[in-house]
Amino acid sequence: MVDMTRTDNNPPQGPLAVEVRGLVKHYGETKALDGVDLDVREGTVLGVLGPNGAGKTTLVRCLSTLVIPDAGTAFVAGYDVVRQPRQLRRTIGLTGQYASVDEKLSGRENLYMIGRLLDLSRKDARTRADELLERFSLTDAAKKAAMHYSGGMRRRLDLAASMIGHPAVLYLDEPTTGLDPRTRNEVWDEVQRMVSEGVTVLLTTQYMEEAEQLASELTVIDKGKVIASGKVDELKARVGGRTLKVRPVSVSDLPGMARSLSEAGLDGVAGSQIASEEGVLLVPILSDEQLTAVVGLLAARGYAIADLGTYLPSLDEVFLSITGQKPSAPDSVPAQQTEEVAA
Ligand SMILES: Nc1ncnc2c1ncn2[C@@H]1O[C@H](COP(=O)(O)OP(=O)(O)OP(=O)(O)O)[C@@H](O)[C@H]1O
Ligand SMILES: [Mg+2]
């Protein structure tokens, strides 16, 4: 397997809000966490990806002090999960994988109750509840019992609940699983807003699109172990590299273009490919120098180019390549990234 772990010449920048080293949690024979290392820098979103049973929820539970790890260390906002659980709990918010609101209480009562549990005065708990209802567009449904909320409203209420104590670090365990695309977008907007206000987020997800939208860095875990980590684009580049897509004005130029690149040794190890149905030439790109040389050569030979750009593999392809299985989200859309190249 390719070594996908972070290399030393690319250290993370900025102070760490979450620092996990060698975290282990076994349930009998099951190694739910088998020596996990990860960092989340302050004010950023780390996406933790992994198939079912990878250990994502166990990780979140360890970092929330709900489960005590068997070995390893974890610090959140500088507090040790094992030795300083009380201080740590005051700095975090958690939106669990399964909705945690009280069904019989209204949205407003749920938020008020949590505020009181967090030692807010009656007045402050009321004010905070109303603020958050407003912010998560739940004011109209404030007095309705949570059991009558739609899935999306519940998720928003969950998010609102996790924000009551003004957490510095927020864990979102599969926050949008089961939501329709529109509601998912609303949740993403809220998460982005929290991040813009300085909250650090650790997000577990099986939706590649969600990871692309929200996370700046990713850690992929499988069977309790980290199998890849890095920035989204770095992971894509390491797995598949870039491909240049060139569309000539005239399709009949394609063979000649391919031959020119091959003769100049500019078409990468695997060689370029003609995709005639699309009318494009696909050239594997290994370096910026090669990219410039390819574009330069085609221009020098006088080919009229209608369009060209490079693209990275989709995150779905990356996930498949490193875990050997497809992400289980049924409706995740493979998002292709295109960056335009000036000819
Ligand atoms: N309380 C528990 N008792 C026994 N085994 C457990 C417990 N919690 C988790 N496990 C096991 O640990 C492993 C990791 O589970 P975990 O819930 O952390 O995975 P996950 O990545 O969150 O999966 P999913 O994507 O399905 O939510 C699984 O094999 C699971 O069966
Ligand atoms: Mg889980």
Side-chain angles (χ1 to χ4, degrees):
M1 195 180 61
V2 197
D3 181 14
M4 302 278 299
T5 47
R6 204 191 314 278
T7 50
D8 285 332
N9 57 11
N10 188 21
Q13 307 290 314
L16 296 177
V18 180
E19 189 175 4
V20 175
R21 293 292 175 271
L23 207 63
V24 174
K25 178 69 195 176
H26 293 183
Y27 291 108
E29 295 287 284
T30 309
K31 294 173 174 173
L33 296 177
D34 194 15
V36 167
D37 295 339
L38 60 82
D39 293 325
V40 194
R41 281 174 293 126
E42 266 175 25
T44 70
V45 181
L46 174 76
V48 177
L49 302 175
N52 289 128
K56 303 180 298 293
T57 298
T58 307
L59 173 69
V60 168
R61 292 175 69 82
C62 283
L63 296 180
S64 319
T65 77
L66 297 170
V67 158
I68 299 171
D70 299 332
T73 58
F75 291 88
V76 181
Y79 298 119
D80 184 323
V81 288
V82 178
R83 296 206 184 88
Q84 298 164 294
R86 290 176 59 128
Q87 292 96 316
L88 192 149
R89 269 182 234 135
R90 265 185 238 125
T91 71
I92 61 166
L94 168 65
T95 297
Q97 186 169 6
Y98 306 101
S100 51
V101 297
D102 187 322
E103 298 279 311
K104 290 187 213 79
L105 298 183
S106 71
R108 192 161 191 264
E109 287 162 345
N110 264 295
L111 297 184
Y112 174 79
M113 184 188 73
I114 294 165
R116 293 290 287 155
L117 287 172
L118 289 173
D119 287 337
L120 295 186
S121 69
R122 283 168 209 275
K123 182 164 166 286
D124 288 348
R126 264 197 301 272
T127 313
R128 186 81 179 124
D130 287 337
E131 245 170 54
L132 288 164
L133 287 165
E134 174 77 37
R135 172 164 175 174
F136 287 88
S137 314
L138 290 169
T139 307
D140 291 346
K143 290 184 182 152
K144 250 207 275 194
M147 67 172 99
H148 299 306
Y149 279 24
S150 69
M153 289 161 80
R154 272 164 193 253
R155 240 32 299 243
R156 295 208 303 272
L157 185 60
D158 264 336
L159 272 179
S162 64
M163 292 304 289
I164 289 184
H166 297 283
V169 180
L170 183 64
Y171 308 129
L172 302 174
D173 193 8
E174 300 197 25
T176 65
T177 297
L179 296 187
D180 65 50
R182 191 180 59 87
T183 318
R184 190 177 299 155
N185 274 312
E186 284 172 17
V187 172
W188 291 348
D189 286 347
E190 271 318 316
V191 173
Q192 270 156 348
R193 194 164 124 186
M194 292 175 207
V195 175
S196 72
E197 287 166 8
V199 176
T200 303
V201 175
L202 186 146
L203 161 90
T204 81
T205 185
Q206 303 209 35
Y207 293 115
M208 298 301 120
E209 204 194 342
E210 180 157 278
E212 296 244 45
Q213 282 281 328
L214 298 178
S216 46
E217 303 226 359
L218 299 179
T219 291
V220 185
I221 61 175
D222 194 13
K223 301 189 185 80
K225 283 191 157 66
V226 173
I227 55 170
S229 67
K231 292 196 167 58
V232 177
D233 283 357
E234 278 170 16
L235 288 185
K236 288 178 167 185
R238 268 184 272 172
V239 169
R242 282 179 296 170
T243 301
L244 174 70
K245 206 188 239 190
V246 193
R247 185 190 311 282
V249 173
S250 163
V251 249
S252 60
D253 280 344
L254 286 169
M257 285 163 54
R259 217 174 314 114
S260 303
L261 292 181
S262 164
E263 282 163 11
L266 282 176
D267 54 356
V269 185
S272 60
Q273 273 179 28
I274 295 175
S276 10
E277 9 18 291
E278 275 192 84
V280 296
L281 184 70
L282 301 171
V283 189
I285 295 297
L286 301 170
S287 67
D288 289 344
E289 292 72 30
Q290 182 208 348
L291 177 61
T292 316
V294 167
V295 175
L297 181 77
L298 294 176
R301 296 282 159 95
Y303 290 112
I305 307 296
D307 187 27
L308 87 175
T310 62
Y311 69 93
L312 291 166
S314 75
L315 206 47
D316 282 300
E317 289 165 326
V318 173
F319 191 85
L320 177 66
S321 147
I322 56 189
T323 65
Q325 47 188 303
K326 282 189 180 302
S328 44
D331 55 349
S332 63
V333 186
Q336 269 203 351
Q337 273 217 348
T338 304
E339 79 191 51
E340 291 305 317
V341 183

